Amino acid sequence: MKKHIWTLTTLTILVTSCGNQQDSNTYDTSDTSDANIGWTEEAKSGMLEGCMDNKPIKGMTDQETKDYCDCILTKTIKEYPNPDTIEGDLPPNFVRNSGIECLKQTGLWDRYKELSIEIDKELFLSSLTNFIKAFEFEPYVETEEQEKEYLGLIKNGIDIGIQISDNFLLSTHPEMKKMFQDKLIKGASLIHEGYLEQEDISVSLDKMETGADLVNQWSEWWNVERKKIKI
């Protein structure tokens, strides 16, 4: 059975760069307060060793890697006092923001900020590429395989897109952060939610229609502002 996909305007890819400043801090992962009672020494050691073994950033010395991973552990404990509440992978935004903050706090930001810029570029390109491929299915998906691929591409575009730093988006255009997050990502999320809604067809259609309108606002904005966007 064919399922209708709300018509969306094709997306356009754009890239640029961003920057930040550095600060410093120290870390103590030995907190044994009641709030962090779930983090046993074994759990802390396991996470720290896993981080260090994975060599999170190429080119770091062993000591720099340890300092960086100590910082990541400290932020994770603060955000998740009970490790049992962590299900699966940590949220992309938390991982991304913590990584940048720890580069700054360990004094490594100046050396690796260009890497952060390149990561943002890759994420941005990948997010838009997933959306473009998804919208090539419009206006219909005809098979279960197409439906699965369509929804997967939209979900990937959303999951990757929310990892992109605000600074990167703002560096491309003053309105990019608002348009990308509040129009494209929000719109795609509503389309995805609406498509999966099974119990109430009116709710499903409302979400999909609203989502499509937001995505089209993104595309219309791009067509007007494209010459002002830093490439």
Side-chain angles (χ1 to χ4, degrees):
M1 179 181 67
K2 291 184 177 181
K3 291 189 176 180
H4 186 271
I5 302 174
W6 291 94
T7 301
L8 307 171
T9 307
T10 301
L11 305 175
T12 308
I13 296 174
L14 43 114
V15 296
T16 187
S17 62
C18 65
N20 267 306
Q21 298 180 340
Q22 152 185 333
D23 58 6
S24 60
N25 204 347
T26 57
Y27 325 101
D28 180 7
T29 61
S30 61
D31 186 358
T32 56
S33 65
D34 290 342
N36 295 330
I37 195 65
W39 283 93
T40 63
E41 291 305 315
E42 181 179 3
K44 294 177 186 177
S45 296
M47 182 174 180
L48 187 60
E49 290 174 5
C51 176
M52 294 181 66
D53 289 345
N54 285 331
K55 300 292 183 183
I57 298 182
K58 184 178 180 181
M60 281 186 179
T61 65
D62 289 344
Q63 185 58 53
E64 288 170 342
T65 298
K66 183 179 185 305
D67 291 343
Y68 177 84
C69 289
D70 278 339
C71 175
I72 292 293
L73 175 59
T74 299
K75 291 185 178 298
T76 303
I77 291 173
K78 182 177 180 180
E79 185 73 15
Y80 300 94
N82 182 356
D84 292 337
T85 62
I86 301 175
E87 298 181 0
D89 295 334
L90 291 168
N93 273 351
F94 172 75
V95 174
R96 173 73 173 146
N97 292 336
S98 295
I100 291 175
E101 290 170 7
C102 286
L103 283 176
K104 294 178 182 178
Q105 293 175 8
T106 54
L108 298 170
W109 177 249
D110 282 347
R111 190 196 310 173
Y112 291 105
K113 63 184 177 182
E114 291 300 323
L115 174 61
S116 177
I117 293 169
E118 290 304 314
I119 290 173
D120 272 325
K121 286 182 179 180
E122 291 179 8
L123 292 172
F124 192 66
L125 288 167
S126 180
S127 176
L128 292 184
T129 298
N130 274 273
F131 287 132
I132 290 170
K133 289 181 178 179
F135 301 151
E136 287 175 351
F137 282 101
E138 60 184 46
Y140 297 103
V141 290
E142 298 183 338
T143 67
E144 290 185 1
E145 289 77 13
Q146 287 180 343
E147 178 180 328
K148 182 178 180 181
E149 183 178 0
Y150 169 71
L151 293 174
L153 287 167
I154 291 182
K155 184 66 164 54
N156 285 341
I158 295 167
D159 289 345
I160 296 169
I162 63 176
Q163 299 181 54
I164 302 168
S165 70
D166 292 350
N167 284 337
F168 174 82
L169 295 174
L170 288 170
S171 74
T172 66
H173 188 287
E175 297 177 357
M176 179 61 75
K177 175 178 178 290
K178 176 182 177 182
M179 297 305 298
F180 183 80
Q181 295 176 350
D182 296 348
K183 304 299 182 180
L184 178 56
I185 297 297
K186 184 177 180 180
S189 298
L190 286 171
I191 291 169
H192 190 266
E193 292 171 9
Y195 202 92
L196 294 177
E197 173 61 49
Q198 301 292 327
E199 296 183 0
D200 191 328
I201 188 62
S202 64
V203 171
S204 173
L205 293 175
D206 182 63
K207 286 187 175 183
M208 293 175 70
E209 184 175 15
T210 301
D213 181 61
L214 290 173
V215 174
N216 282 327
Q217 287 180 45
W218 152 270
S219 296
E220 291 168 3
W221 171 81
W222 162 256
N223 289 333
V224 172
E225 299 292 322
R226 61 187 305 169
K227 292 183 179 180
K228 299 178 184 178
I229 294 171
K230 299 176 184 178
I231 303 297

